[in-house]
């Protein structure tokens, strides 16, 4: 493939690094594109090969020119979420396929733009749901598909974001729903995609509640953080705040953002307790699936630990899976869990509970990233994917529809019927 990357923030590095270092003999990055000249320059340098003239760099305003001049086969989209649809559609129209960071998009209007463009052009988008490729998550898929617990009737799914990772969504562009769709779209798209994939079904109805309970000015006052500044770098009480982000202490963040501020005025270290934050930090949803299964889902962004807990209730027994990624946060420091902090328990009716050995692998996201990137960039040398883990516009669409419906339910107080919602917008996912 000849690839062009649009969006040169931290998320693009996984794709750029994989092509440049792991698969340089198979693929080529022909161009990078961003609206920040500093980050654009860093990305071009990182993607350039020795002995070449380097990688072409284009301002975001010149995206269409980049496609016309460089003629990539595939466009990698790693921009802020609200821009995904525009670049996907323009890439389709120019004859390119797309690899897109999750979520595919954030609202119904842009979802319709993508699905309509896909039908017109026949081009394909691959949404990079890396959690599907984790050995532990794949094991859950295996057990459910084997029928050992029978028909899945009910699921309890809790995802915990700790006070470092969770807080970070409240200091970046994600903090406004018009940019990210809120955490029920931006973050939960991973979790709803896993549910759809595990159950082999799609959601039909959602009832949800949510509020900003922790990342509020009142919490800062309770902590004695008066006279707060708008960002950590200029805040007179930052040294007493466990939520301080000191960009100078992280070389990558400092290079990508602190040194780039003068170009576009984007601050990476805004105060997590600002009044004008527009997303929730505490969310619950009750989801009905077309298969008849129901799911109770909870996401919190200020937990003392990070990870997931899930229980599948079936007609023959139940399956419990838990992964502790971070044991706790102490004064802003994260205590990472070891490899043994993942466990799966299978309990068949009439039998004793059985602890199942959980497979592990090296790499980010529980060993998922190298596997996913292998299937994207070197599929001929990978085992045939019996789990159908590659995600197209259909899977990408269904993964955000639960979150979109949940946001609507929070706003209205009503249950949202997804088929009715799609019909009203003229959206067909197939």
């Amino acid at each position: 493939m000849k690839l062009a990357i649009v969006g040169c923030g931290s998320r693009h590095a996984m794709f750029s690094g994989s092509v440049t270092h792991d698969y340089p003999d198979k693929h080529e990055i022909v161009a990078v594109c961003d609206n920040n000249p500093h980050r654009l320059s860093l990305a071009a340098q990182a993607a350039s090969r020795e002995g070449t003239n380097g990688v072409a760099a284009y301002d975001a305003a010149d995206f269409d020119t980049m496609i016309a001049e460089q003629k990539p086969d595939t466009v990698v989209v790693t921009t802020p979420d609200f821009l995904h649809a525009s670049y996907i559609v323009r890439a389709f129209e120019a004859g390119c396929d797309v690899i897109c960071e999750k979520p595919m998009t954030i609202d119904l209007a842009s979802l319709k733009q993508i699905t309509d463009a896909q039908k017109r052009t026949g081009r394909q988008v691959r949404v990079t749901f890396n959690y599907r490729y984790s050995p532990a998550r794949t094991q859950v898929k295996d057990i459910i598909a084997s029928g050992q617990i029978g028909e899945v009737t009910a699921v309890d799914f809790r995802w915990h974001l700790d006070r470092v990772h969770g807080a970070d969504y409240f200091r970046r562009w994600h903090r406004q729903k018009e940019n990210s769709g809120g955490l029920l779209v931006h973050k939960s798209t991973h979790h709803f995609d896993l549910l759809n994939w595990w159950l082999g079904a799609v959601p039909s109805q959602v009832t949800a509640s949510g509020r900003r309970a922790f990342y509020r000015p009142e919490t800062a006052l309770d902590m004695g953080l008066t006279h707060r500044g708008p960002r950590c770098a200029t805040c007179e009480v930052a040294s007493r705040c466990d939520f301080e982000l000191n960009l100078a202490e992280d070389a990558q963040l400092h290079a990508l953002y602190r040194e780039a501020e003068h170009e576009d005025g984007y601050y990476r270290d805004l105060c997590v307790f600002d009044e004008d934050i527009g997303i929730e930090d505490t969310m619950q949803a009750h989801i009905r699936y077309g298969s008849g299964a129901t799911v109770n889902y909870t996401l919190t962004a200020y937990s003392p630990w990070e990870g997931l807990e899930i229980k599948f209730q079936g007609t023959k027994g139940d399956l419990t899976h838990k992964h502790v990624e971070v044991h706790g946060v102490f004064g802003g420091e994260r205590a990472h869990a070891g490899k043994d902090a993942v466990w799966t328990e299978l309990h068949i009716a009439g039998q004793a509970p059985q602890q199942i050995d959980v497979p592990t692998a090296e790499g980010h996201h529980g060993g998922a990233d190298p596997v996913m990137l292998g299937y994207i960039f070197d599929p001929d040398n990978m085992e045939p994917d019996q789990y159908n883990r590659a995600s197209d516009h259909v899977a990408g669409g269904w993964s955000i529809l639960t979150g979109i419906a949940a946001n609507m339910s929070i706003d209205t107080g009503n249950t949202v019927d997804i088929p009715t919602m799609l019909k009203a917008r003229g959206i067909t996912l197939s």
Side-chain angles (χ1 to χ4, degrees):
M1 287 186 289
K2 292 171 62 179
L3 299 107
I5 301 176
V6 56
C8 297
S10 58
R11 292 303 299 168
H12 95 285
M14 177 177 71
F15 302 99
S16 177
S18 184
V19 172
T20 304
H21 300 294
D22 300 328
Y23 305 104
D25 57 330
K26 296 180 181 293
H27 310 291
E28 179 186 6
I29 297 173
V30 297
V32 291
C33 181
D34 198 272
N35 64 355
N36 185 289
H38 178 80
R39 282 195 289 276
L40 185 60
S41 176
L42 291 178
Q45 293 173 36
S48 296
R49 299 180 182 179
E50 291 186 11
T52 70
N53 291 327
V55 171
Y58 290 81
D59 184 79
D62 299 320
F63 174 80
D64 300 305
T65 301
M66 176 186 73
I67 300 297
E69 291 181 350
Q70 301 300 326
K71 297 179 173 56
D73 307 302
T74 302
V75 174
V76 179
V77 178
T78 52
T79 63
D81 303 346
F82 72 99
L83 296 171
H84 286 184
S86 173
Y87 290 117
I88 291 170
V89 170
R90 290 155 70 187
F92 281 176
E93 300 287 4
C96 303
D97 290 326
V98 174
I99 297 168
C100 185
E101 177 62 25
K102 62 81 191 169
M104 186 172 72
T105 189
I106 65 170
D107 55 34
L108 294 174
S110 57
L111 175 59
K112 180 170 173 55
Q113 291 171 5
I114 292 170
T115 56
D116 286 353
Q118 194 281 325
K119 290 172 186 175
R120 285 195 309 271
T121 65
R123 308 312 303 184
Q124 300 298 316
V125 58
R126 181 164 184 158
V127 186
T128 52
F129 288 121
N130 42 14
Y131 278 123
R132 287 189 179 202
Y133 295 85
S134 160
R137 309 297 105 81
T138 303
Q139 180 190 59
V140 171
K141 173 73 171 175
D142 250 339
I143 294 172
I144 293 172
S146 73
Q148 292 181 73
I149 65 170
E151 176 191 351
V152 176
T153 57
V155 184
D156 285 297
F157 192 2
R158 297 187 294 278
W159 201 285
H160 307 260
L161 292 169
D162 68 34
R163 298 180 179 210
V164 174
H165 187 189
D168 216 29
Y169 294 110
F170 294 83
R171 60 169 57 96
R172 296 181 283 170
W173 54 264
H174 309 73
R175 66 192 344 219
Q176 301 301 339
K177 278 192 178 178
E178 58 264 30
N179 294 336
S180 66
L183 290 179
L184 282 167
V185 173
H186 173 81
K187 183 62 181 175
S188 299
T189 184
H190 265 318
H191 316 152
F192 298 144
D193 175 70
L194 279 175
L195 284 167
N196 299 346
W197 178 61
W198 279 329
L199 298 175
V202 294
S204 59
Q205 288 186 328
V206 179
T207 307
S209 61
R211 67 189 182 104
R212 183 159 54 108
F214 184 79
Y215 296 106
R216 306 185 304 148
E218 293 84 351
T219 303
L221 291 175
D222 288 344
M223 294 177 175
L225 301 173
T226 56
H227 307 294
R228 290 180 296 109
R231 58 178 302 200
C232 294
T234 57
C235 180
E236 63 182 79
V237 298
S239 62
R240 296 192 287 107
C241 179
D242 288 343
F243 294 84
E244 178 192 12
L245 176 64
N246 188 336
L247 294 174
E249 293 180 350
D250 187 304
Q252 181 184 27
L253 291 180
H254 190 269
L256 277 176
Y257 299 106
R258 186 68 161 138
E259 294 180 354
E261 291 174 1
H262 67 282
E263 301 283 6
D264 57 11
Y266 173 64
Y267 297 141
R268 180 62 176 74
D269 61 344
L270 294 176
C271 181
V272 301
F273 301 114
D274 280 351
E275 179 67 44
D276 65 350
I277 292 172
I279 63 173
E280 298 88 5
D281 58 23
T282 309
M283 296 137 282
Q284 292 187 300
H286 181 71
I287 311 160
R288 293 183 179 274
Y289 274 78
S291 64
T294 56
V295 177
N296 287 323
Y297 171 81
T298 300
L299 175 66
T300 53
Y302 48 91
S303 173
W305 65 284
E306 178 142 330
L308 68 94
E309 302 172 277
I310 188 163
K311 180 181 285 290
F312 299 88
Q313 188 67 54
T315 54
K316 296 180 180 179
D318 61 43
L319 175 67
T320 303
H321 180 70
K322 184 173 182 178
H323 183 185
V324 178
E325 297 180 14
V326 176
H327 283 304
V329 180
F330 308 94
E333 297 294 326
R334 306 174 90 206
H336 288 274
K339 294 180 181 179
D340 59 347
V342 186
W343 60 93
T344 300
E345 181 182 270
L346 178 64
H347 193 178
I348 304 302
Q351 302 179 19
Q354 179 185 0
Q355 296 292 321
I356 308 295
D357 289 337
V358 180
T360 60
E362 296 297 323
H364 291 298
H365 294 100
D369 287 4
V371 180
M372 180 187 72
L373 292 167
Y375 277 106
I376 292 174
F377 295 126
D378 196 17
D380 292 341
N381 285 318
M382 303 294 289
E383 295 286 337
D385 189 5
Q386 61 179 309
Y387 301 104
N388 297 314
R389 288 174 288 194
S391 304
D392 60 7
H393 68 284
V394 177
W398 282 111
S399 74
I400 61 173
L401 284 170
T402 302
I404 290 172
N407 281 334
M408 292 175 63
S409 180
I410 291 171
D411 289 342
T412 64
N414 299 323
T415 295
V416 175
D417 185 82
I418 293 178
T420 300
M421 179 178 75
L422 292 176
K423 184 177 180 180
R425 295 297 188 110
I427 300 171
T428 302
L429 277 173
S430 60

